[in-house]
């Protein structure tokens, strides 16, 4: 679940309107632990665009693991204040 922690950390550093794209394993898509279930809901709540990448696409880098490309635009949430700086 290290992928999940990295995604959260990246998101927390995005300014409002900032965009991020990250490639993760697909473990979070099917795992039933609380962390993965919460992450799936968090992605949905943040309107993440998710594209699955077949295993073997990165075989030149030494892995055949299936991955997902996650793209998120950080939006202003209710109760959140936009910083001028």
């Amino acid at each position: 679940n290290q992928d999940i922690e990295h995604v959260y950390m990246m998101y927390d550093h995005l300014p409002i309107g900032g965009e991020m794209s990250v490639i993760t394993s697909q473990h979070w898509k099917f795992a039933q632990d609380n962390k993965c279930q919460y992450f799936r809901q968090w992605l949905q709540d943040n309107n993440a665009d998710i594209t699955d990448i077949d295993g073997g696409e990165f075989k030149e880098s030494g892995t055949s693991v299936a991955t997902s490309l996650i793209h998120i635009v950080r939006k202003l949430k209710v109760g959140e204040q936009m910083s001028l700086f």
Side-chain angles (χ1 to χ4, degrees):
N1 291 339
Q2 290 179 354
D3 292 355
I4 293 172
E5 294 304 318
H6 287 129
V7 172
Y8 288 147
M9 186 183 335
M10 290 168 59
Y11 185 84
D12 287 344
H13 287 87
L14 276 180
I16 303 302
E19 299 182 43
M20 64 180 247
S21 293
V22 61
I23 294 175
T24 68
S25 72
Q26 291 186 359
H27 172 78
W28 57 267
K29 293 186 81 172
F30 56 84
Q32 293 303 309
D33 59 275
N34 287 341
K35 187 175 206 171
C36 291
Q37 289 180 26
Y38 179 84
F39 186 62
R40 288 191 295 268
Q41 185 62 52
W42 181 84
L43 290 170
Q44 185 176 350
D45 292 346
N46 283 284
N47 299 312
D49 182 31
I50 301 164
T51 303
D52 290 335
I53 301 170
D54 294 332
E57 290 295 322
F58 298 104
K59 66 183 173 189
E60 290 179 9
S61 297
T63 183
S64 295
V65 175
T67 56
S68 292
L69 171 65
I70 300 172
H71 180 83
I72 301 174
V73 177
R74 184 161 185 183
K75 296 188 170 48
L76 189 66
K77 300 277 186 187
V78 174
E80 186 177 21
Q81 292 188 336
M82 191 165 148
S83 173
L84 297 176
F85 302 99

